[in-house]
Amino acid sequence: MAKQDAPRVVRDLLLTAGITINGDNPWDITVHREDFFGRVLRGGVLALGESYMDGWWDCEALDQMFDRALRARLDRMVKGNLQTAWHTLTARLFNLQKKSRADEVGRKHYDIGNDLYRAMLDSRMVYTCGYWRNADCLDDAQIAKMDLVCRKVGLRPGMKVLELGCGWGSFARYAAETYGAEVTGVTISKEQVELGCEICKGLPVEIRYQDYREVSGVYDRVISIGILEHVGYKNYRVYMKTVDRTLKDDGIAFFHTIGGNVSIVIGNPWTTRYIFPNGQIPSIAQLGKAMEGLMVMEDWHNFGPDYDKTLMAWYENFEKHWPELQDRYSERFHRMWRFYLLSSAGAFRSRSIQLWQVVMTKSGMTQPACRCVEER
């Protein structure tokens, strides 16, 4: 394609989604550099995000722009470059989420600064989707989500719970305080372990710096809230075997994860480079295959639109507190983080990705009473 054709091609693609270059709508794009067009055509979504971080273009409402673009499936029309193809090949040949690489996402994402997460998240520091059915604010939505999890697994006082990927101990604290559970949580973030131990001090909660594959013991309940996005398609079966190995025969297992409409072997190129190293969103087919012969699916609940609300609340908090953060984080980081939060909100709003909660038991066990299924 001739260099001079790039602006026309990009404009025509965007127009199919109702997005105009230098238009007046909040979802329209304002381009500051003419070579933006060729860069995006050559590099796809990776170049789109990087050029935004570099200040080559702006958009008043990135969330609305991505909602429109993804509904029009523009991401499938601009595939990207040889670098993306190489990433796909290496993902097929190698296990990008093997144990020796497990702490990379901890170091590069979760350990970047508790001040950032304290400013952006709710008062309990829950870094997963809230449940907004009867909630009017982020704090209430996160409490409702944690309570929903407890009710789905039938949590009772004295039960021993294993939480794979425990974050800053938010759920562990809630389950111990509200339901009287004893919780063991593992994470590959050193910052999360340090702050989580402080948050859960005085409660029957233990938080360890440990990979999910290394856990031992047997528990009444085994749960994860937001770890499967880091497990990788080569390890979904390993995850399910870990759950099977650590769950009592009559126990209940549970996971909460972002999910995709199609099976993939690599994540979004921009997100995996700048936000979640080696991240990948599982599909129903991939998770179903991983469960086969080990676990029985008792309930599968999708409330993906609630993640749109959660992300917009995080974005509002982030922007509100940016003046307090800007001395430590650069303006390029500011634009990167804004792109991350708002593009993700647009992806959930367009139904390109989902949020699933799944309840499981071991094969051959009596079906548990899931009273909360009717309540929701």
Side-chain angles (χ1 to χ4, degrees):
M1 180 190 302
K3 183 178 179 180
Q4 62 270 22
D5 292 334
R8 175 186 56 79
V9 172
V10 173
R11 284 190 174 94
D12 289 347
L13 281 171
L14 291 174
L15 281 173
T16 65
I19 302 167
T20 304
I21 299 294
N22 301 328
D24 297 325
N25 297 306
W27 56 81
D28 289 333
I29 288 175
T30 300
V31 174
H32 305 305
R33 290 185 51 157
E34 192 69 14
D35 41 357
F36 157 80
F37 301 103
R39 183 177 181 181
V40 170
L41 286 181
R42 290 190 303 272
V45 68
L46 177 61
L48 183 70
E50 289 180 333
S51 60
Y52 181 80
M53 291 163 62
D54 293 339
W56 286 26
W57 63 279
D58 278 296
C59 177
E60 181 183 342
L62 278 171
D63 55 310
Q64 296 182 40
M65 188 274 286
F66 272 98
D67 177 28
R68 288 172 171 267
L70 291 170
R71 286 182 190 274
R73 300 188 175 185
L74 297 190
D75 56 320
R76 302 185 186 186
M77 299 180 191
V78 183
K79 293 293 186 180
N81 56 14
L82 288 174
Q83 190 175 36
T84 302
W86 175 250
H87 188 191
T88 302
L89 178 62
T90 56
R92 290 189 180 278
L93 293 176
F94 306 105
N95 185 351
L96 299 181
Q97 297 83 12
K98 62 184 179 180
K99 199 180 299 184
S100 62
R101 302 181 62 160
D103 67 341
E104 187 177 358
V105 68
R107 289 183 287 103
K108 294 184 178 179
H109 185 81
Y110 297 106
D111 289 348
I112 59 176
N114 285 333
D115 57 342
L116 169 66
Y117 294 112
R118 281 189 185 277
M120 185 180 81
L121 304 177
D122 64 299
S123 60
R124 290 175 175 264
M125 293 186 72
V126 184
Y127 195 18
T128 47
C129 178
Y131 188 53
W132 292 83
R133 183 182 180 190
N134 297 310
D136 296 319
C137 66
L138 182 60
D139 273 23
D140 289 349
Q142 295 294 13
I143 291 172
K145 185 271 297 299
M146 292 188 290
D147 198 68
L148 182 65
V149 175
C150 293
R151 289 185 290 117
K152 282 184 174 182
V153 300
L155 201 57
R156 297 190 302 275
M159 281 189 169
K160 297 185 183 298
V161 178
L162 173 63
E163 185 180 6
L164 304 174
C166 63
W168 291 274
S170 309
F171 175 80
R173 174 188 167 192
Y174 183 84
E177 285 180 334
T178 310
Y179 283 83
E182 299 178 23
V183 186
T184 300
V186 299
T187 174
I188 40 72
S189 163
K190 293 180 179 179
E191 292 289 331
Q192 287 184 336
V193 171
E194 183 177 351
L195 183 55
C197 288
E198 179 185 326
I199 288 172
C200 298
K201 188 176 181 179
L203 293 169
V205 172
E206 179 186 5
I207 296 180
R208 305 173 184 164
Y209 180 74
Q210 188 176 39
D211 183 78
Y212 72 94
R213 286 162 282 208
E214 298 174 341
V215 295
S216 59
V218 180
Y219 299 82
D220 299 291
R221 303 290 185 262
V222 178
I223 74 162
S224 66
I225 306 174
I227 191 181
L228 273 165
E229 299 91 337
H230 304 307
V231 167
Y233 84 105
K234 288 183 179 291
N235 304 303
Y236 295 142
R237 184 68 172 180
V238 174
Y239 169 88
M240 294 297 171
K241 285 183 176 180
T242 301
V243 172
D244 178 65
R245 173 171 53 81
T246 56
L247 182 66
K248 288 184 178 180
D249 286 344
D250 62 348
I252 298 176
F254 168 96
F255 64 79
H256 165 122
T257 184
I258 298 171
N261 298 331
V262 296
S263 298
I264 58 173
V265 299
I266 61 165
N268 175 296
W270 183 85
T271 305
T272 55
R273 172 172 290 189
Y274 291 99
I275 307 298
F276 296 114
N278 307 315
Q280 181 190 329
I281 297 172
S283 70
I284 290 175
Q286 288 168 328
L287 292 174
K289 184 177 180 181
M291 291 180 201
E292 193 169 310
L294 291 176
M295 311 304 296
V296 175
M297 190 277 290
E298 303 289 355
D299 182 59
W300 198 300
H301 181 192
N302 183 3
F303 54 98
D306 286 33
Y307 224 144
D308 177 12
K309 292 183 180 180
T310 303
L311 284 153
M312 294 307 294
W314 290 346
Y315 171 70
E316 183 179 339
N317 286 343
F318 174 66
E319 290 294 345
K320 177 182 176 181
H321 291 283
W322 177 247
E324 306 159 22
L325 299 169
Q326 60 184 349
D327 288 342
R328 182 174 174 197
Y329 301 91
S330 68
E331 180 57 27
R332 194 167 193 266
F333 178 91
H334 186 200
R335 293 180 69 88
M336 177 186 79
W337 211 252
R338 180 191 296 153
F339 190 89
Y340 154 51
L341 294 173
L342 294 180
S343 64
S344 299
F348 281 102
R349 196 176 307 164
S350 67
R351 308 303 310 284
S352 299
I353 51 178
Q354 317 300 328
L355 189 285
W356 298 323
Q357 287 191 346
V358 176
V359 179
M360 306 180 296
T361 57
K362 289 190 174 185
S363 298
M365 294 298 104
T366 301
Q367 186 177 43
C370 294
R371 184 167 48 87
C372 65
V373 175
E374 286 74 34
E375 290 177 356
R376 70 168 187 255

